[in-house]
Amino acid sequence: MEHKEAVTPVEAIAKRVKEARSRKGLTAQELADKLRSGGLPWDRGTVTKLETGRRQNVSVVELLALARALDVAPIHLLVPLEDGGSYLVTPNEPVKVARARYWIRGLVPLGRTDVRIYKTEVPAAELRAWDPEKENEDGQQEHQAAPER
C-alpha cells in the first residue's frame, strides 16, 4: 500500500467531523458552542480550520469531546466509514481501513504483533464477553453485547 493514497487520522477526523456536523444540522459556531459547554475551549474558527485541513493535529481529549458533542463513537470520527482504501496507523504503516477499525476496537492485532501479549492486555470483563464459538464472515470473533452503563 502506498502512503500517498492512505488517509491520515487527522484527515479522517476532519472529514468525519464535517459530515457528522452537517448531518446534525449544526453550524461550525453551534459545534464550537457545544464543545465549549463540554469544557473544550474551541471557537468557530478552530472548527473551520479542522474541517478545511488547516489544523494538523487533534488531541485525544479533543477527539473525545468532538465525538461526545456530535453523538458518535470516537472510532467513527477517527477512521473513515468506508472500507475501501487505506489508513495510516503510524506515519509509515498504511493498513486497510477495515483492518484499522478492527485493531482500534481491540478485535485483531496488526501484523508482526505477538498475539499472546496482545490478548493479555484486555480487561477480564471484556475477555469473558468473547464467544469463541462465533465468527463473522471475516473469520473474526464476534463480541457479545456491551455492559450497561
Side-chain angles (χ1 to χ4, degrees):
M1 272 180 247
E2 296 201 16
H3 299 270
K4 291 179 173 94
E5 64 185 53
V7 66
T8 69
V10 176
E11 289 169 343
I13 293 167
K15 180 180 178 195
R16 291 292 304 129
V17 164
K18 186 172 185 176
E19 291 171 351
R21 179 181 63 74
S22 295
R23 192 170 294 117
K24 288 184 68 72
L26 296 173
T27 65
Q29 182 62 56
E30 289 168 331
L31 177 56
D33 293 343
K34 285 184 82 160
L35 291 167
R36 247 192 328 282
S37 71
L40 191 65
W42 276 29
D43 59 21
R44 182 195 54 77
T46 306
V47 172
T48 301
K49 284 178 184 173
L50 173 65
E51 291 181 353
T52 59
R54 291 179 291 149
R55 190 168 200 268
Q56 296 300 305
N57 57 53
V58 176
S59 73
V60 173
V61 170
E62 292 168 334
L63 172 66
L64 296 175
L66 285 161
R68 183 70 180 120
L70 293 167
D71 298 321
V72 300
I75 189 172
H76 301 314
L77 294 182
L78 185 59
V79 181
L81 296 179
E82 308 82 28
D83 283 342
S86 58
Y87 181 84
L88 287 176
V89 295
T90 71
N92 295 323
E93 188 175 4
V95 299
K96 291 180 180 177
V97 166
R99 187 69 179 198
R101 293 178 73 80
Y102 277 110
W103 174 67
I104 290 169
R105 287 184 173 127
L107 301 176
V108 296
L110 292 178
R112 297 182 318 277
T113 296
D114 185 328
V115 176
R116 291 172 297 160
I117 293 172
Y118 183 84
K119 291 189 175 192
T120 63
E121 296 298 320
V122 176
E126 287 183 27
L127 193 58
R128 286 191 297 272
W130 288 101
D131 183 350
E133 302 297 316
K134 287 178 102 178
E135 287 189 352
N136 64 23
E137 64 271 5
D138 294 329
Q140 303 301 323
Q141 290 182 337
E142 292 187 16
H143 198 270
Q144 296 175 358
E148 304 257 342
R149 282 186 183 213

